[in-house]
Amino acid sequence: MDGSMTPGEASNRVLVLNPVSGSGDHVDDVVELAADHGFEIRRTEQGGDAKRFAREAAPEAALVAAAGGDGTLNAVVNGVAAADALETTTVAVVPAGTGNNFATNVGIRGLEHAFTVIEDGRRRAIDVATANERRFVNSCVGGITAEASSETTAESKAALGVLAYVKNTIETVGEFDSLPLRVETAAGPNGETAQAWEGEALFVLIGNCRRFTGARTAQANVEDGLLEVTIVEDAATTDLLGGAALEGLFGQDSTHIVRRRTPSLAIDSRADSIEYSLDGEILETEAVRLETNPGALTLPVGDDYRPDPDDEERWPIGTPANQ
C-alpha cells in the first residue's frame, strides 16, 4: 500500500492501482498524480484484490478510483456495490489498460486527463448492468472462450476494443460450435415490445455503455435504462470463416444480426454452459438474467462525453447537466 495515511486512518479518496494492466509502464505516473490529488493508493497483487480494496474503502471514501483497464474498473464497481455504497461513493476511471474502451466512451483521454476530470469534470449518474447479480459497466459477451479472452493480444485490443475477443475467438476455434439459445427480452419504455428469439447463435453481445458495430469505440446511451443486445446468428459462420471484416458483419444492414434494446433479458442455453465475458471477467453459466439499474453509479466524465451519442445538438460540449 502507498500513501501517507497513518494506520487506521480512513481516506476520503482511495485509488485502486493495477500495476500490471496494459503495458505496465503507468505505475510511476499514476502514483505521482494520485499523491498530488490526495489519494491513498492501494496496489493489487493478486486476483480479488481490486474488489476487496474497493469494498473495504467504500463505506468511508467519497471517491474510489480504478487505475487499470476495464477489468479493474469492473472489480472496483463490484466492490463498491458489495459494500452497498453505490449511492454514496463516486467511482472514477483512470485508464491504464490496453483498450480502455469504457474510459474512451465517457470522454477520458489519458492518465493526466483522468485526474483533471476528477477535479473539474461533470458528474453523471449512469446505468450499471447486472448478469446473475454480477455488475458490469461496459459489456457482456457470450460465446467468447476463456482461452481466447486471455490470449487476445494487446495490439488487437487497442485496435478493436472488446471486438478483439470476438476476432480472436474466430481465429482460434477453427470450427464453430454454435450456441443453441433462447433469448427473451422484456418490454422497453419507448414502445419496444417483449420478444423472444430462439435458434443457433455464434455470439450474443450485450452493451451497457458499448454498442456493437464495426467501430473500435461505439458508445451506447448509458443513461437510458436500456441494454443494447446483438445476436450473431449461426448463419454468419460462412462469412466469418471466409474472412469477412468485422465492420461488415456488424454493419446495420447485416442479415445475420438481430438487435434489441431492452431493460432486461434472459438467456438460456439448451445445451452446455456458456462463457460470458463481463468487461473481460469470465462468468460461466447455462442461464443468465441481465438487467439495468438506471442511474446507479456516479462517475466523473470528460467534456467529450455525450449521454445520448445520437443527439449531438442536445448535449453540446460543456453542458453541466447532472452535475
Side-chain angles (χ1 to χ4, degrees), residues 184-205:
E184 295 187 22
T185 55
N190 302 315
E192 298 93 347
T193 59
Q195 298 183 66
W197 178 93
E198 190 164 357
E200 303 288 324
L202 298 178
F203 303 100
V204 56
L205 309 99

Side-chain angles (χ1 to χ4, degrees), residues 116-130:
T116 299
V117 169
I118 286 171
E119 301 299 349
D120 303 325
R122 293 170 290 155
R123 264 56 173 170
R124 301 293 302 186
I126 69 170
D127 305 339
V128 175
T130 60

Side-chain angles (χ1 to χ4, degrees), residues 107-163:
I108 297 175
R109 300 187 297 271
L111 297 181
E112 291 190 15
H113 185 241
F115 286 93
T116 299
V117 169
I118 286 171
E119 301 299 349
D120 303 325
R122 293 170 290 155
R123 264 56 173 170
R124 301 293 302 186
I126 69 170
D127 305 339
V128 175
T130 60
N132 288 0
E133 304 306 317
R134 281 177 52 177
R135 272 78 175 178
F136 66 95
V137 292
N138 204 42
S139 63
C140 169
V141 179
I144 301 296
T145 65
E147 180 181 7
S149 179
S150 65
E151 293 182 358
T152 298
T153 66
E155 292 78 12
S156 184
K157 284 189 285 186
L160 294 170
V162 70
L163 289 181

Side-chain angles (χ1 to χ4, degrees), residues 11 18 26 39 41 56 79 89 110 129 142 174 224 241 252 267 273 278 282 310:
S11 174
N18 182 346
H26 59 282
F39 280 90
I41 303 168
E56 293 170 350
T89 302
D224 61 358
L241 296 181
Q252 293 292 331
I267 306 174
S273 60
L278 311 179
I282 296 297
D310 298 322

